[in-house]
Amino acid sequence: MKARTRFAPSPTGFMHIGNLRTAIFEYLVAKHNGGEFILRIEDTDQNRKVEGAIDFIYNTLNLCNIKIDEGPNNAGEYGPYIQSERLDIYKKYAEELVEKGDAYYCFCTEETLEAMRQKCDARKVPFMYDGRCSHLSKEEIAEKLKNGEKYVIRQKMPKYGTSIVHDIVYGDVKVDNKVLEDQILLKSDGYPTYNFANVIDDHLMHITHVIRGNEYLSQTPKYNLLYEAFGWEAPQYIHVPMVLGSDGNKLSKRNGDASFMDLYNEGYLPSAIVNYLVLLGWSPDTNQELYTMDELIKHFDEKRISKSPATYDIKKLQWFNHKYINTLSDEEYLKFIRPFLTLDVSDKTEEWINKLLLIYKDHLSFGKEINDLVGIFFNDDITISKENEEFLNSDDAIPIVINAYREEIEKLTEWNTDALSEVINKVKEKTGVKGKLLYMPIRIKISGVEHGPELPDELYLIGKDKVLKRLS
Ligand code: GLU
């Protein structure tokens, strides 16, 4: 069956990685089944609306190589794709339900509802609208409408029996109809609730698979009652478990970089983020870990989405990012990494900068990290730890080796890595010292630490003046 899926974010100007993972799953289900991926903007809560948020969503999906077939900026047959532009559609369908007897006008005022709430509180039962307006006569309703009384439209729930929905991840979900509230479908300002709009839109947009966070699972039987009332076929449901932070709590800004843009701005590649996220709660039938989008499309199977919550692990994401940085060509890599280097390079040549950046291609976990890794080439002063100081005094050969380096380096007329490799060979010949004693003392003297890039590269980047100063 050809699938049609939709990603339905609210335009908040923020893309939580849990939402992005849902978008990826939707995209993969659509494309695995040769179908379409639709973007629908759910802006019925106008208070949460943020200027420019739609562009932000387009930009994010585009960076992630997720192509939108239909959406606000991609005309399709079933638009508009922004809910606030579909108010007349919701009104029409809500009225149709009233007509059929599956919904009713409710004129209860805030005060009436408050009194009802207090009664429930006193009885220590959860608040539930008591359905009183469902008993209004045709004449009473006509009169109230004529007088311009404010109203909402509520769904009339069955009072007995059970409703069952089937979910691909969670199996059958049953609810007792008598616990279902006569929920509001259309608010008094003419806006639909999510609970109504999602059904109308998913049906009219011919959505075959609804993929969303499992917080909607318990509500889904209500949606199916709406499909039944209209005589429509319900879509297949795929509710996905939450993404938790490493502290076991729901992922939020507090327990990590939970937004795509934060990660992107830190220097995580979108391809790595996508690869990491898709494996968060979904397991492929191979041991492969790195996937192109085409491979994901080929392998994706919604039946392998797990019910248990997934834990977001930045270290694992860094591992993926490191791998993806490594797959970039040198040219792509330099283009990617250059903007992250924020240290002062005004006195350096392009050649020097590129050499520096390329040396760290194999070591980087994320873009911004470059500044920490290359610090030794920018600091004027270096600090040598007590342990390293002790090492420098631990062997009589060390001052001899250092002296030999200084002499050979002073003689150099050209400053490049070939000449510096030659220097190392000469020091080795001259002193008869090799291995750790040949490399470590000079590394420590010039950088303060015992590890770094290849010694000729390290010497080259630190520069002749600084090297000589630190050796003397
Ligand atoms: N607008 C809803 C949200 O952002 C979408 C849920 C759904 O996909 O149906 O959570």
Side-chain angles (χ1 to χ4, degrees):
M1 180 185 60
K2 197 170 134 189
R4 281 175 62 85
T5 63
R6 86 297 190 276
F7 179 45
S10 301
T12 59
F14 179 83
M15 179 82 78
H16 189 277
I17 55 155
N19 282 352
L20 179 57
R21 187 191 59 164
T22 306
I24 299 168
F25 285 172
E26 317 225 19
Y27 182 68
L28 295 176
V29 168
K31 297 300 154 183
H32 181 78
N33 297 292
E36 285 98 33
F37 173 73
I38 290 121
L39 175 67
R40 181 170 79 222
I41 302 297
E42 302 209 325
D43 61 344
T44 54
D45 183 354
Q46 291 281 305
N47 296 330
R48 289 176 67 203
K49 206 167 157 178
V50 171
E51 218 37 61
I54 297 181
D55 289 339
F56 177 85
I57 294 165
Y58 264 92
N59 188 19
T60 302
L61 296 180
N62 191 29
L63 284 168
C64 292
N65 196 14
I66 295 176
K67 300 184 187 78
I68 298 163
D69 295 303
E70 293 168 30
N73 303 352
N74 307 57
E77 269 178 69
Y78 307 104
Y81 294 89
I82 301 181
Q83 287 186 328
S84 60
E85 294 171 13
R86 300 171 62 79
L87 300 185
D88 50 340
I89 301 177
Y90 306 123
K91 185 163 194 287
K92 171 179 158 244
Y93 281 99
E95 282 167 0
E96 188 181 317
L97 273 192
V98 173
E99 201 78 349
K100 287 175 186 271
D102 292 300
Y104 58 89
Y105 292 99
C106 168
F107 299 92
C108 288
T109 60
E110 233 349 281
E111 294 74 57
T112 314
L113 292 172
E114 187 46 40
M116 220 181 279
R117 216 167 271 133
Q118 282 177 11
K119 254 194 198 159
C120 291
D121 284 352
R123 286 169 46 219
K124 295 203 170 28
V125 294
F127 169 72
M128 198 156 128
Y129 180 69
D130 65 9
R132 64 181 69 174
C133 284
S134 64
H135 307 297
L136 293 174
S137 69
K138 269 209 165 97
E139 294 70 35
E140 284 170 309
I141 295 168
E143 179 68 17
K144 285 176 183 289
L145 289 177
K146 205 176 92 204
N147 294 340
E149 276 188 43
K150 275 187 148 191
Y151 66 86
V152 300
I153 294 182
R154 288 183 184 269
Q155 183 179 0
K156 193 189 272 175
M157 293 296 179
K159 299 291 169 268
Y160 46 84
T162 44
S163 295
I164 302 179
V165 285
H166 182 73
D167 181 85
I168 291 183
V169 175
Y170 288 88
D172 284 340
V173 180
K174 258 192 229 165
V175 311
D176 231 338
N177 289 338
K178 65 172 185 291
V179 307
L180 300 178
E181 189 190 27
D182 286 357
Q183 62 176 349
I184 298 177
L185 305 178
L186 206 66
K187 295 183 273 187
S188 58
D189 59 4
Y191 276 82
T193 54
Y194 167 81
N195 291 340
F196 188 50
N198 90 86
V199 170
I200 302 300
D201 290 344
D202 286 340
H203 171 72
L204 294 179
M205 295 178 182
H206 297 264
I207 300 304
T208 57
H209 298 71
V210 166
I211 302 160
R212 63 185 164 213
N214 68 1
E215 65 269 30
Y216 294 99
L217 183 60
S218 64
Q219 304 293 315
T220 304
K222 293 187 192 174
Y223 309 150
N224 267 18
L225 288 167
L226 285 170
Y227 282 99
E228 269 171 43
F230 283 114
W232 297 337
E233 194 188 330
Q236 299 207 48
Y237 294 110
I238 303 173
H239 286 89
V240 295
M242 251 183 233
V243 180
L244 301 179
S246 47
D247 55 4
N249 291 321
K250 199 173 164 198
L251 199 57
S252 69
K253 273 261 173 203
R254 261 177 296 115
N255 52 19
D257 278 327
S259 110
F260 170 81
M261 271 305 158
D262 285 348
L263 290 172
Y264 183 69
N265 291 332
E266 288 281 305
Y268 290 85
L269 295 166
S271 48
I273 300 175
V274 167
N275 199 146
Y276 171 67
L277 288 181
V278 81
L279 296 174
L280 212 53
W282 173 73
S283 54
D285 55 1
T286 70
N287 288 331
Q288 191 177 330
E289 292 202 86
L290 303 191
Y291 292 88
T292 61
M293 190 57 100
D294 283 344
E295 287 172 323
L296 285 175
I297 291 172
K298 187 167 152 229
H299 288 284
F300 196 77
D301 175 2
E302 61 274 13
K303 296 197 184 66
R304 297 181 68 94
I305 295 175
S306 159
K307 268 204 266 274
S308 8
T311 304
Y312 174 69
D313 176 0
I314 188 85
K315 286 270 172 286
K316 187 88 206 201
L317 172 59
Q318 287 178 354
W319 182 86
F320 276 98
N321 203 44
H322 171 78
K323 295 274 175 199
Y324 273 86
I325 290 174
N326 257 292
T327 63
L328 299 176
S329 69
D330 285 355
E331 203 183 317
E332 289 166 335
Y333 165 75
L334 288 173
K335 214 167 133 210
F336 155 72
I337 196 67
R338 187 65 180 81
F340 291 106
L341 181 68
T342 49
L343 296 164
D344 180 13
V345 287
S346 51
D347 61 339
K348 315 284 192 208
T349 62
E350 271 312 294
E351 189 203 348
W352 187 93
I353 298 169
N354 288 349
K355 181 148 192 78
L356 174 79
L357 295 173
L358 281 169
I359 283 173
Y360 286 94
K361 189 176 166 192
D362 283 352
H363 302 270
L364 268 185
S365 302
F366 59 98
K368 272 195 180 167
E369 195 189 23
I370 191 74
N371 297 301
D372 300 331
L373 296 180
V374 304
I376 56 163
F377 302 109
F378 290 84
N379 303 339
D380 276 332
D381 299 314
I382 53 165
T383 21
I384 300 180
S385 69
K386 207 169 138 240
E387 259 173 29
N388 281 341
E389 237 8 302
E390 276 167 17
F391 170 74
L392 290 178
N393 294 322
S394 67
D395 198 300
D396 292 343
I398 293 175
I400 297 169
V401 172
I402 299 229
N403 212 27
Y405 272 116
R406 195 161 46 82
E407 279 172 18
E408 289 305 321
I409 289 172
E410 261 167 2
K411 278 194 236 158
L412 287 181
T413 49
E414 273 177 57
W415 190 251
N416 57 47
T417 48
D418 286 346
L420 288 162
S421 300
E422 206 35 50
V423 164
I424 299 171
N425 287 336
K426 283 202 184 129
V427 171
K428 187 173 164 188
E429 261 169 43
K430 217 161 132 181
T431 61
V433 171
K434 47 187 182 203
K436 194 175 163 185
L437 282 182
L438 181 65
Y439 295 100
M440 286 276 265
I442 182 160
R443 270 194 196 282
I444 294 174
K445 283 293 254 186
I446 62 170
S447 72
V449 290
E450 61 270 44
H451 299 293
E454 295 289 325
L455 188 53
D457 290 333
E458 192 169 11
L459 288 161
Y460 168 80
L461 290 170
I462 291 178
K464 190 170 178 178
D465 289 350
K466 270 191 195 163
V467 166
L468 286 175
K469 207 167 116 208
R470 289 174 189 177
L471 287 182
S472 50

